[in-house]
Amino acid sequence: MLVSCPTDITLRHPRSAISGAPEEEMEALKKNKPPLLPVPSQSRTCSDGLSIDPTMVSQGTKRKRDHESSHSNIEPPLTTDMITEDARQILKRVTKNSNQINIGSRKKATIGIFGKSGEGKSSLLSAILGKKDLLPSGCFGACTAVVTQVEANLNDSNYKAEIELFSQEEWENELKDLFRNIKDESEDRNDDLFEIAVEKITALYGVDADQKTLEELKNDERFAEIKTYLSVSKKIISSSNLSEFTNDVASYIQHSESSSGGWYWPLVKSVTIMIPDCRELLEHIVLLDLPGTGDCNKIRDDLWKSKLRECSSVWIVSAINRAITDRDPWGILKHCIEELGPGGKCKRINFICTKTDEINTAAYIRSARLPRDQISEDKDQKKACILHRNDHAKTRVKEKFENSEIKKIFITDNQFQVFTVSSDAFFDHNLNLESSETEIPKLQDDLRNLNKSINRELTKDYVNKVKGTLLLIQSGQLDPDKKTIEMKVNIRNKFEENLRSSLIELDKYFDSIYNELEQHLSKGVEESVQFCVASTKAMIAPNKDGRGFHKILGALCKNYGCYWSKNWDVVLDLNKTLAKYLHKYIDEDFLKIFPVTGKTGKSVQEQIDKFSIIQSDSAYPSCDILHYIQNFIEIEETKLKEALNRDIVDMKKDIYSSIKITILNQMASCYQQAAAVTGTGSMKIKQDLLISTVDNIKQDMFNKAKVEVLKMFNNLKLDVKNALESGLQEAIECSQSQTSKKKRMDVSREIEQLERLLDQLSD
């Protein structure tokens, strides 16, 4: 991670740049920029004989704030786009090159959406984006295996879909598995896998395709057509007409039981739908459908889990009449909690009760025992019932959350919110609800505020980069006499000394955390070894009627230890069960070391935020050169820290998930052997094989998981230290550079201008 030094910059004097600017540029400056401050006429000399501005000594931005407070005419705040453009123009006037610093980009914030098909997800998204029937009903969740995401089209006014397809080799392997499930007539056959296989084959190849052999299917003309489809890894659909776009994309994201053949969703890994004219809501946000999946395809499963770990927020969508009693959304969320919490970065959960306008008024009055005198006219009666049920649902859902395991990873109340929405009433004002009562505007505000927050961060990063460039120019404006050069060398030596001592302190912190993790993991290994066989038996050999379970066990072995029923009513994960004691002993550590939000006094992020080579007890007197160099170093430190804190989230996810991955890798050959066992008594053979393998490798398997966690944590430490050391050493080198000797300049007023822009961002 390196600091960009402004080398080989052609400079021009900022005052002359303004006076010589074209008329239209001058007009834009008058409209958009606060007035430049007058250059102070007084100065004094520091002990080293350097001429300094007295108002700049140990005051930071104080003088500009004093100046601003004297103005009674306060201009309206600038937008982030205007602030970025102002900063770009300042850079252009000073250096003649506004492209030397790029406006940064970062990973978009991902909002994961849970919910079955028919719960109103498509209508919800269409309402939030303000366009009725924008997304076809059922496009979310209709095909349980396809990961679908929605984001803004920022390039043109078309509706666009990017469809990621299987490779030919991947599909051929999938096809063999599908036919193996279809032709399986043994007592071990899993009905869910059979239904999924039939659904996929008939969706692609038509009615009765599942009755053919694989060889017969290869002679079908559609087989050659599909092979052609898979010759490209990605298909693009783009149209300015919404209706045409919806029709074109439907076959890749929807399934019709009434019309078989020509539905291509079984070939699809993921679909990205890009919507025009929604920059305000989705410029930096992705809405991601996280469907439950009974699909046994490991490629889709791995993609699903990787997407899940990217979610910074989750929406659980359920029709209001089933919000409390429906186990599916809560069950899926509970199963995924590790990927969202300790192993992810989810900061917030929104539970969204949909279809609030669908109510039988008379029946609700009876069941809720509402007094008749509270409601009179028919129109008001329905609205009163809707709002009463909304309040009741919010209370009950919050109570359920408070009593759930999910609550453990969400510390503050505002991290869980309940919304009661009506997408239909948002568009149809005859359904008795005001726009605000549909709560769609609340969700829009949620997206808008998140989008604005990311925009502000990116704009702040850019303005700070420009400011850093000008600070270097300003620090080199003084004549390079002997005393100036000597002071710069002394400043450099002090910074390098501070860097070494700060790295030593950071090393001590990491070592203490490493030792704690090692102790807790060792306890986790002991408990895992003690209870793993019993835990395995409890999952794969339950003490109850075993009829039908042999099918579930077979599917679990085929999918390397994991099984989800098609409707998520049965979820088994042997790898997760084997990892639970190791996770149990480090979950609390992870919440403190890598908190999703807030401070714990122990987190890596807090240690990085504290890290600085600028010490308050500087041995050198305050003067212009020190002020500008310190400001530059501070900006570079902030950039490094922010980038590191983002990287740490990804490293943390990999560390946490390594336990389960290590266990899966150790058990993989056993799963393959067990999956191959068929015939009479196969269930008992599978069970014995799994149990004996766990018993035989338990000590080695759990120790390897422990070692892997510690190794990855140590790598995180080395990455953080190396990034800080190399990045700040580069910044120190840059701070020593001189500007062109041909023309020196004073850009202090331009720096002040940038500081005012930063203040506007903060406000």
Side-chain angles (χ1 to χ4, degrees), residues 630-647:
Q630 281 191 340
N631 265 272
F632 169 74
I633 294 292
E634 189 177 351
I635 287 172
E636 296 305 317
E637 278 187 345
T638 301
K639 280 162 35 182
L640 275 168
K641 291 173 184 179
E642 288 175 351
L644 267 176
N645 282 331
R646 289 192 295 270
D647 292 341

Side-chain angles (χ1 to χ4, degrees), residues 509-653:
Y509 159 78
F510 275 113
D511 286 346
S512 69
I513 296 297
Y514 182 97
N515 292 334
E516 285 184 32
L517 274 176
E518 186 173 29
Q519 290 174 20
H520 294 162
L521 284 166
S522 295
K523 290 180 181 177
V525 169
E526 287 178 21
E527 211 160 294
S528 297
V529 170
Q530 184 179 354
F531 296 115
C532 63
V533 173
S535 297
T536 302
K537 286 179 180 178
M539 174 171 285
I540 68 169
N543 293 322
K544 56 184 179 181
D545 187 356
R547 286 178 297 179
F549 186 75
H550 63 286
K551 298 178 181 180
I552 293 174
L553 183 60
L556 178 142
C557 294
K558 286 179 181 178
N559 203 40
Y560 291 88
C562 304
Y563 171 77
W564 307 268
S565 63
K566 193 176 181 183
N567 296 318
W568 278 86
D569 54 338
V570 179
V571 179
L572 301 176
D573 189 335
L574 183 54
N575 303 312
K576 188 173 183 178
T577 296
L578 292 171
K580 71 179 178 180
Y581 294 108
L582 282 165
H583 281 152
K584 168 187 166 183
Y585 278 96
I586 66 167
D587 276 356
E588 190 174 339
D589 290 328
F590 260 67
L591 291 175
K592 290 179 180 177
I593 300 167
F594 305 108
V596 177
T597 58
K599 295 182 178 181
T600 65
K602 205 175 174 183
S603 72
V604 175
Q605 292 94 324
E606 286 173 83
Q607 290 299 317
I608 290 173
D609 289 341
K610 286 182 198 173
F611 190 97
S612 180
I613 62 173
I614 301 172
Q615 304 296 332
S616 57
D617 58 340
S618 175
Y620 302 101
S622 295
C623 56
D624 272 356
I625 190 168
L626 179 60
H627 170 80
Y628 290 120
I629 289 177
Q630 281 191 340
N631 265 272
F632 169 74
I633 294 292
E634 189 177 351
I635 287 172
E636 296 305 317
E637 278 187 345
T638 301
K639 280 162 35 182
L640 275 168
K641 291 173 184 179
E642 288 175 351
L644 267 176
N645 282 331
R646 289 192 295 270
D647 292 341
I648 281 167
V649 173
D650 291 327
M651 289 187 268
K652 159 232 184 173
K653 291 185 288 187

Side-chain angles (χ1 to χ4, degrees), residues 69 101 137-139 147 165 180 194 233 301 308 312 428 435 451 723 748 754:
S69 65
I101 297 176
S137 179
C139 80
V147 174
L165 302 169
R180 193 177 296 118
F194 175 80
S233 60
D301 181 44
L308 187 63
S312 56
D428 187 349
S435 177
N451 205 48
S748 59
L754 292 168

Side-chain angles (χ1 to χ4, degrees), residues 167-177 223 227:
S167 68
Q168 288 186 29
E169 182 182 356
E170 288 168 341
W171 176 245
E172 285 175 11
N173 291 333
E174 166 95 335
L175 204 53
K176 289 175 185 175
D177 287 339
F223 192 89
K227 196 170 182 179

Side-chain angles (χ1 to χ4, degrees), residues 264-317:
Y264 298 109
W265 60 264
L267 307 173
V268 176
K269 288 183 185 177
S270 66
V271 177
T272 300
I273 296 174
M274 285 166 275
I275 309 297
D277 306 321
C278 59
R279 177 186 292 268
E280 185 185 21
L281 297 178
L282 296 183
E283 182 180 4
H284 303 292
I285 299 171
V286 172
L287 300 174
L288 173 70
D289 182 34
L290 289 168
T293 172
D295 200 302
C296 233
N297 184 280
K298 192 173 185 302
I299 295 169
R300 283 201 188 99
D301 181 44
D302 290 343
L303 175 65
W304 184 80
K305 286 180 179 174
S306 69
K307 293 282 188 183
L308 187 63
R309 286 191 287 269
E310 290 299 316
C311 294
S312 56
S313 182
V314 163
W315 292 0
I316 307 171
V317 180

Side-chain angles (χ1 to χ4, degrees), residues 652-705:
K652 159 232 184 173
K653 291 185 288 187
D654 292 337
I655 294 171
Y656 191 85
S657 62
S658 70
I659 293 175
K660 188 176 167 183
I661 290 170
T662 301
I663 289 170
L664 188 154
N665 290 336
Q666 294 295 301
M667 291 290 295
S669 60
C670 174
Y671 291 136
Q672 291 172 340
Q673 290 176 47
V677 177
T678 57
T680 304
S682 59
M683 182 170 108
K684 181 71 166 59
I685 297 172
K686 283 178 168 60
Q687 290 169 334
D688 290 344
L689 182 58
L690 290 168
I691 292 167
S692 63
T693 299
V694 169
D695 195 25
N696 291 335
I697 69 172
K698 58 187 178 184
Q699 190 73 52
D700 186 54
M701 175 169 67
F702 295 124
N703 272 324
K704 281 182 177 176

